[in-house]
Amino acid sequence: MEESCKNVYITTPIYYVNDVAHIGHAYTTIIADMLARYSRLTGANTYFLTGTDEHGQKIAQSAEARGKTPKEYADEVSGKFKSLWDDFDISYDKFIRTTDDEHKIGVQKAFETMYNKGDIYKGDYEGYYCVSCETFFTEKQLVDEQFCPDCGKPTNIVKEESFFFKLSAYEDKLIKWYEENEDCILPRAKKNEIVNFVKGGLRDLSISRTSFDWGVKLPESLNEPKHVMYVWLDALMNYITALGYGSDEKNMNHWPASTHLVGKDILRFHAIYWPAFLMSLDLPLPKHIAAHGWWTRDGEKMSKSKGNVVDPKKVADAYGLDAFRYFMLREVPFGQDGDFSQKALMDRINSDLGNDLGNLLNRISGMSGKYFDFKVTSKDVEKFHRKELDEVEEILENIEDYLYKMQLNRYLEDIWKVLTIANKAIGDYEPWAKMKEGKEDEAMALVALITNIMARVSLLLDSVMPEKIGKIAASLGITIDNATYISLIKNKELIADTTITKVEQLFPRIEEVLLEQAKPAVVEKSVAEEKSNKKEETKEVEDDNLITIDKFFETSLKIGTIVEAVEVPKSKKLLKLQVDLGEGRNRQILAGIKEFYSAEELVGTQACVVANLKPAKLMGMLSEGMLMAAKDENGLSLIRPEAPKTIGTKIS
């Protein structure tokens, strides 16, 4: 384990109480819970924080629309989050609310400290404000001169007196931190986006509001009663106020955070604003800020109007909480967008959990019961199965590195490699044949080998599926605790003689989906309308310049993510882009869109790319594709997917 894990501090973002918890919230929280449970198992002094973010104009407006006070509304929604995490047996040490008195005290102390240091000053702010995102944008950042670039909703021009944080003063210090700490932002591709953004220049940050009052007041020493703190300053401070910053400070020994888990949409706040605030407070910076992707359903963006929003509680109730946890952690590489479908979940349950894991336990129970009255001894395992033990130990040697580098699916993939070794050994050595030949010692050694492999796997999977693994451990006669972890994983010892007990089938096969599928809205038409429409279609098609479907599919259109963008010197129109199409290397594409897009705003966004265009040279530089765009009298707009898609996804 990395040295920082002597004290481990793991956080989720505090969830904004404008709606109920969805699958994205569950994903973040399950990852954090996995890391916390594993860290405790290894003996680390672990602290796990989650909670809710409850201030800001959006909350005040949502409460008013429901005829409630902001606090009443926040109490209601925060309670639902806490209830869900308790139902999910999330092992948090503290559930913080930004309406907690201790939090307010800590935030006010932080504000006062930064103000006295000279990092906060008062001025006037005017900008385009998105209530939904609680964020200001420049005119250049807006979509079609009006809409928020993050959520797409209209912005309003807001002018008000404001306190500012000198974010621009920390530009060089932030760059230095990024350069000196390779894994401070994970995945590393996300770090490149942040570095490019900061190198583009930082503006001082407005950190107070006077247009509403649902927030933390400024310290009394400033005598500014009409100001409340900007919701992001208030929210980010939760990571230290939860440890007692500004009050008793009883848990500040856990700082700095080992891992801040966030969604990719709030990475900028955590990887730029938050480190700058900490530098101003002279506090150490977090070791890792890890940004995960978004979830779609059956390939479509989730929305209430489509009726396809995934309720994590319903999924867990239908398919089992542990199966849901495993699916979320295994299905998609951390940092990439994931797609939830019941078919994919059923495949994981039936194949990985039923066939590979559950069936192996059944085989241990069956063989030990049939041949040895359920009693297993490990005395001859090394004599007959040193080869298999070496293979297992080689895989497990550095497996936990995957966890702390947020390669969770790789962690699970390697555990399943170990299960494959166990299942293969049974077929290779055929204990039933050994028994017929009178080689009971060899048959026993094989059963004991499988039992030991299952014991080690159980320790490593306890953080993923604690309820089911508890039953497996009981069946094997072992205890999931730090002593057993040290013995079997760290010291690579074998379990002592044990007695196997039978358990019920842990992962019964599922043949049909257990939840009602989302149904798209259907607009019924009369037969007359259908005939009329077909006639119109035929007429329009005949007048057009037709091609066959085969001709169309000769063009390869794919979704790409722009990972780098720079201006082409001496060109009024060209930007040089590096675009990731999932090919293992980036494509260089020269795009004549400089008049309509800045290089900075393109980084990290997705676009539709003509991927099989013959490479061409423009101004002496190779261009390996073309971005799709539409241009009219109102300007040019890139053609983009409605929801984030996996890089390389084909457009059809």
Side-chain angles (χ1 to χ4, degrees):
M1 178 184 294
E2 59 182 38
E3 216 169 295
S4 65
C5 290
K6 291 176 181 176
N7 268 332
V8 171
Y9 182 28
I10 296 160
T11 73
T12 71
I14 49 174
Y15 302 117
Y16 207 40
V17 294
N18 63 315
D19 209 342
V20 296
H22 55 63
I23 192 171
H25 299 127
Y27 180 53
T28 319
T29 309
I30 288 168
I31 293 172
D33 187 60
M34 176 195 183
L35 294 176
R37 287 175 181 273
Y38 181 87
S39 298
R40 293 189 194 104
L41 181 65
T42 63
N45 182 23
T46 305
Y47 199 87
F48 171 19
L49 174 71
T50 190
T52 45
D53 177 9
E54 303 175 22
H55 289 131
Q57 188 176 6
K58 184 162 57 172
I59 301 303
Q61 291 178 350
S62 295
E64 183 179 5
R66 291 165 173 80
K68 300 177 184 291
T69 67
K71 184 62 165 64
E72 288 172 339
Y73 179 64
D75 287 347
E76 177 185 321
V77 183
S78 177
K80 290 178 180 177
F81 272 93
K82 190 173 187 299
S83 177
L84 179 62
W85 302 153
D86 290 342
D87 285 344
F88 275 19
D89 197 25
I90 301 298
S91 62
Y92 59 81
D93 293 283
K94 184 177 179 68
F95 186 99
I96 191 172
R97 299 180 58 185
T98 55
T99 50
D100 292 341
D101 289 339
E102 295 83 358
H103 172 73
K104 295 176 185 176
I105 292 168
V107 173
Q108 288 171 335
K109 177 186 175 181
F111 193 104
E112 191 170 42
T113 300
M114 293 189 288
Y115 180 83
N116 291 336
K117 189 175 181 177
D119 279 344
I120 292 177
Y121 63 92
K122 187 162 75 171
D124 290 311
Y125 191 86
E126 182 174 2
Y128 294 87
Y129 187 64
C130 175
V131 173
S132 182
C133 297
E134 304 278 9
T135 306
F136 276 101
F137 296 97
T138 64
E139 186 173 7
K140 188 191 295 185
Q141 291 174 301
L142 299 181
V143 176
D144 293 337
E145 301 180 348
Q146 179 185 2
F147 300 102
C148 171
D150 289 346
C151 71
K153 294 179 180 177
T155 59
N156 299 309
I157 296 178
V158 174
K159 183 175 182 179
E160 61 181 322
E161 182 181 87
S162 177
F163 281 85
F164 290 81
F165 175 74
K166 291 182 179 178
L167 186 63
S168 58
Y170 287 91
E171 188 175 314
D172 292 340
K173 292 179 181 178
L174 286 168
I175 294 295
K176 187 172 186 286
W177 179 56
Y178 303 144
E179 290 175 347
E180 293 179 353
N181 297 273
E182 190 174 39
D183 290 330
C184 60
I185 300 171
L186 296 170
R188 290 179 185 173
K190 293 295 181 187
K191 179 181 172 183
N192 295 335
E193 296 174 19
I194 295 297
V195 171
N196 289 334
F197 183 87
V198 174
K199 285 183 176 178
L202 295 177
R203 301 169 61 198
D204 289 350
L205 182 67
S206 172
I207 56 169
S208 75
R209 298 286 179 271
T210 58
S211 54
F212 59 91
D213 62 1
W214 179 238
V216 178
K217 298 290 186 182
L218 269 54
E220 289 186 5
S221 60
L222 272 69
N223 192 28
E224 295 283 358
K226 65 180 181 179
H227 284 263
V228 295
M229 289 186 212
Y230 172 51
V231 66
W232 274 104
L233 173 65
D234 165 18
L236 288 165
M237 290 296 164
N238 92 91
Y239 301 125
I240 53 175
T241 63
L243 300 177
Y245 177 85
S247 52
D248 57 27
E249 306 210 342
K250 64 181 179 181
N251 288 311
M252 281 299 290
N253 62 304
H254 279 93
W255 189 258
S258 306
T259 303
H260 285 314
L261 281 161
V262 301
K264 65 181 181 180
D265 53 324
I266 56 173
L267 177 60
R268 191 176 297 175
F269 300 100
H270 285 81
I272 300 176
Y273 299 173
W274 179 226
F277 293 155
L278 290 169
M279 289 174 183
S280 180
L281 295 171
D282 294 318
L283 288 173
L285 303 192
K287 291 193 166 39
H288 305 298
I289 301 169
H292 64 73
W294 291 327
W295 283 84
T296 56
R297 181 172 186 176
D298 299 318
E300 287 192 339
K301 182 179 180 181
M302 293 184 213
S303 72
K304 288 181 180 178
S305 60
K306 290 180 180 178
N308 68 344
V309 175
V310 176
D311 182 335
K313 181 71 164 62
K314 289 182 179 178
V315 177
D317 287 347
Y319 290 94
L321 175 58
D322 278 6
F324 177 58
R325 285 173 65 106
Y326 174 78
F327 172 81
M328 298 294 286
L329 296 167
R330 176 72 187 270
E331 186 68 9
V332 60
F334 184 89
Q336 294 185 19
D337 294 337
D339 185 65
F340 176 85
S341 75
Q342 292 190 73
K343 182 182 183 303
L345 174 56
M346 289 164 55
D347 287 345
R348 289 290 182 193
I349 293 172
N350 293 337
S351 178
D352 297 8
L353 301 182
N355 293 348
D356 298 338
L357 181 64
N359 190 49
L360 186 62
L361 182 65
N362 294 338
R363 297 177 87 175
I364 292 171
S365 177
M367 291 185 297
S368 65
K370 184 176 181 179
Y371 305 138
F372 307 113
D373 195 26
F374 296 104
K375 292 179 175 55
V376 176
T377 177
S378 299
K379 67 182 182 67
D380 288 330
V381 172
E382 292 196 75
K383 176 181 176 181
F384 292 109
H385 294 291
R386 187 66 257 173
K387 171 179 170 289
E388 285 78 19
L389 286 174
D390 288 344
E391 289 174 354
V392 169
E393 287 164 8
E394 183 180 359
I395 292 171
L396 299 184
E397 181 68 32
N398 298 304
I399 193 170
E400 74 177 27
D401 288 347
Y402 288 136
L403 287 185
Y404 295 103
K405 291 179 180 177
M406 302 311 297
Q407 296 176 334
L408 310 179
N409 65 315
R410 292 282 301 277
Y411 175 84
L412 291 169
E413 285 169 6
D414 273 14
I415 291 175
W416 254 253
K417 289 178 184 177
V418 171
L419 291 173
T420 299
I421 291 171
N423 278 304
K424 183 175 182 296
I426 296 173
D428 288 347
Y429 294 100
E430 299 181 336
W432 49 90
K434 300 292 185 188
M435 292 298 293
K436 287 181 180 179
E437 295 167 7
K439 298 178 180 177
E440 291 190 13
D441 55 344
E442 292 186 35
M444 172 61 82
L446 187 280
V447 175
L449 169 71
I450 308 305
T451 302
N452 275 278
I453 289 176
M454 180 61 86
R456 293 182 185 183
V457 163
S458 296
L459 285 160
L460 296 173
L461 284 179
D462 177 67
S463 60
V464 178
M465 298 180 288
E467 192 259 336
K468 297 293 187 184
I469 293 301
K471 293 181 178 180
I472 292 177
S475 173
L476 301 177
I478 65 168
T479 303
I480 303 290
D481 58 17
N482 178 246
T484 311
Y485 172 84
I486 295 296
S487 171
L488 301 189
I489 303 298
K490 287 300 179 185
N491 296 341
K492 303 172 185 175
E493 297 170 359
L494 299 176
I495 60 176
D497 296 352
T498 189
T499 300
I500 306 298
T501 55
K502 285 186 174 183
V503 295
E504 77 278 9
Q505 190 176 3
L506 296 178
F507 302 102
R509 185 168 184 82
I510 301 173
E511 300 292 350
E512 296 181 356
V513 296
L514 303 179
L515 293 174
E516 185 179 355
Q517 299 278 47
K519 296 178 181 178
V522 177
V523 179
E524 293 187 3
K525 296 180 180 179
S526 68
V527 174
E529 282 182 299
E530 290 287 355
K531 288 181 178 178
S532 174
N533 288 343
K534 284 181 180 179
K535 286 180 181 177
E536 281 296 319
E537 286 174 17
T538 302
K539 183 178 185 302
E540 289 177 12
V541 166
E542 286 173 351
D543 291 342
D544 207 347
N545 185 15
L546 297 180
I547 61 171
T548 65
I549 191 70
D550 293 334
K551 194 72 175 176
F552 170 79
F553 281 122
E554 287 178 9
T555 304
S556 176
L557 305 176
K558 294 183 180 181
I559 299 298
T561 295
I562 301 169
V563 296
E564 289 181 24
V566 295
E567 295 185 359
V568 174
K570 299 181 181 179
S571 173
K572 293 182 179 180
K573 294 184 177 181
L574 291 179
L575 293 177
K576 184 169 70 172
L577 313 174
Q578 297 295 326
V579 182
D580 186 359
L581 291 174
E583 299 169 328
R585 70 173 186 91
N586 294 333
R587 295 270 197 108
Q588 178 169 289
I589 297 177
L590 299 181
I593 57 175
K594 186 176 175 181
E595 298 171 72
F596 307 97
Y597 292 91
S598 67
E600 294 81 7
E601 69 184 299
L602 289 174
V603 174
T605 65
Q606 292 194 316
C608 300
V609 179
V610 181
N612 63 340
L613 198 64
K614 185 177 179 179
K617 280 196 172 183
L618 299 173
M619 296 187 69
M621 291 174 285
L622 189 67
S623 183
E624 302 171 285
M626 182 173 69
L627 302 191
M628 297 179 67
K631 186 178 180 181
D632 61 10
E633 65 273 15
N634 297 315
L636 178 143
S637 295
L638 290 175
I639 306 301
R640 304 177 185 272
E642 180 185 10
K645 294 295 178 187
T646 303
I647 53 175
T649 299
K650 290 187 176 182
I651 301 168
S652 58

